[in-house]
Amino acid sequence: MTDYNPRDLADLVLKPIITEKATLLLEQNKYVFDVLPKATKPEIKAAIESLFDVKVTGVNTIRPPRKKRRVGRFIGHKPLYKRAIVTLEEGDTINLFPDV
């Protein structure tokens, strides 16, 4: 297994995603995170394991196609993003809402 610098790994995960679909995935012990577009699956796995002290069993990534955005007569694109769906081992959880 490759050793990663923990400081670099912390920068790969941007934020957790809390949508209706993501909360339904919580029942299956799957968590959704926004990650940098250059992040690879082994890097995402190492980052989640080091940040939250859990055991990751699988990582699925999503890179949706770019969408056009129009402002007046100028046409541009929305920024690219990448999402990771992380499956945890049985018994492990991530507390997304600490004592709300």
Side-chain angles (χ1 to χ4, degrees), residues 5-15 34-39 43-44 46-48 50-51:
N5 186 358
R7 290 185 178 201
D8 295 337
L9 291 178
D11 294 334
L12 291 180
V13 179
L14 300 177
K15 61 184 176 185
D34 258 350
V35 295
L36 292 179
K38 67 174 184 149
E43 290 174 343
I44 294 168
I48 297 297
S50 68
L51 286 174

Side-chain angles (χ1 to χ4, degrees), residues 2-100:
T2 308
D3 291 330
Y4 297 107
N5 186 358
R7 290 185 178 201
D8 295 337
L9 291 178
D11 294 334
L12 291 180
V13 179
L14 300 177
K15 61 184 176 185
I17 301 299
I18 301 163
T19 59
E20 186 175 354
K21 186 174 183 178
T23 53
L24 290 175
L25 287 174
L26 289 176
E27 297 172 1
Q28 302 171 14
N29 213 14
K30 295 182 180 184
Y31 295 83
V32 183
F33 295 95
D34 258 350
V35 295
L36 292 179
K38 67 174 184 149
T40 61
K41 289 183 181 184
E43 290 174 343
I44 294 168
K45 179 179 178 179
I48 297 297
E49 286 179 347
S50 68
L51 286 174
F52 299 106
D53 294 326
V54 294
K55 179 72 175 135
V56 175
T57 59
V59 176
N60 296 357
T61 57
I62 304 167
R63 287 189 66 181
R66 295 181 82 179
K67 294 183 179 177
K68 287 187 179 179
R69 176 128 189 227
R70 182 178 171 147
V71 178
R73 64 182 182 136
F74 301 104
I75 297 176
H77 294 279
K78 286 187 167 187
L80 285 176
Y81 63 94
K82 186 175 193 177
R83 289 199 174 152
I85 301 173
V86 179
T87 306
L88 300 183
E89 196 173 70
E90 284 293 321
D92 285 342
T93 59
I94 297 175
N95 192 5
L96 295 178
F97 309 104
D99 299 329
V100 176

